[in-house]
């Protein structure tokens, strides 16, 4: 089965992302992980810092086994990209931030 390329329109959701591309081209049978990597590379962000949703608000998962077609995206559809910011830290970093914020007991 031949795969055909699709062009998705990309919009920022929430705070504007400076280098966000206006469109993303990929194959309909390509993985949604490819979509995340393509948008992240062009906008200079990590894939872990982005959340991509369809125009109806449903999440596009960052998954190598999920295809663009299986999510329901077609040529010309709009995807919205949100920058999750610094809230997506590693658990160890979060634990250290919490522990260092407590005042120390007097000795």
């Amino acid at each position: 089965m031949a795969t055909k390329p699709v062009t998705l329109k990309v919009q920022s959701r929430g705070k504007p992302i400076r280098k966000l591309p206006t469109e993303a081209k990929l194959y309909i049978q390509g993985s949604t992980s490819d979509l995340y990597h393509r948008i992240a590379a062009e906008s200079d962000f990590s894939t872990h810092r982005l959340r991509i949703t369809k125009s109806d608000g449903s999440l596009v998962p960052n998954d190598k086994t999920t295809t663009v077609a299986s999510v329901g995206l077609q040529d010309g559809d709009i995807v919205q990209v949100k920058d999750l910011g610094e809230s997506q830290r590693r658990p160890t970093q979060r634990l250290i931030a919490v522990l260092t914020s407590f005042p120390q007991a007097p000795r």
Side-chain angles (χ1 to χ4, degrees):
M1 180 171 153
T3 61
K4 68 176 194 175
V6 294
T7 302
L8 301 174
K9 296 177 184 170
V10 180
Q11 295 178 346
S12 180
R13 183 175 173 215
K15 187 174 85 172
I17 300 173
R18 207 168 31 119
K19 294 184 179 180
L20 188 69
T22 56
E23 61 183 30
K25 294 181 182 183
L26 62 151
Y27 289 101
I28 194 81
Q29 292 300 324
S31 71
T32 54
S33 177
D34 293 340
L35 176 64
Y36 272 84
H37 284 285
R38 186 170 302 260
I39 292 174
E42 291 186 34
S43 59
D44 290 336
F45 279 97
S46 165
T47 57
H48 304 290
R49 194 170 164 169
L50 299 177
R51 174 181 290 146
I52 300 176
T53 56
K54 297 191 306 186
S55 57
D56 65 1
S58 59
L59 179 67
V60 176
N62 185 1
D63 186 16
K64 290 183 180 181
T65 60
T66 305
T67 64
V68 173
S70 68
V71 174
L73 290 171
Q74 300 173 358
D75 191 31
D77 282 356
I78 297 172
V79 292
Q80 298 174 329
V81 180
K82 182 174 177 77
D83 174 17
L84 298 175
E86 295 297 320
S87 64
Q88 294 292 320
R89 292 195 243 173
R90 291 187 215 140
T92 306
Q93 290 174 329
R94 201 171 315 130
L95 180 64
I96 291 170
V98 169
L99 292 176
T100 57
S101 66
F102 289 120
Q104 291 186 352
R107 293 182 187 209

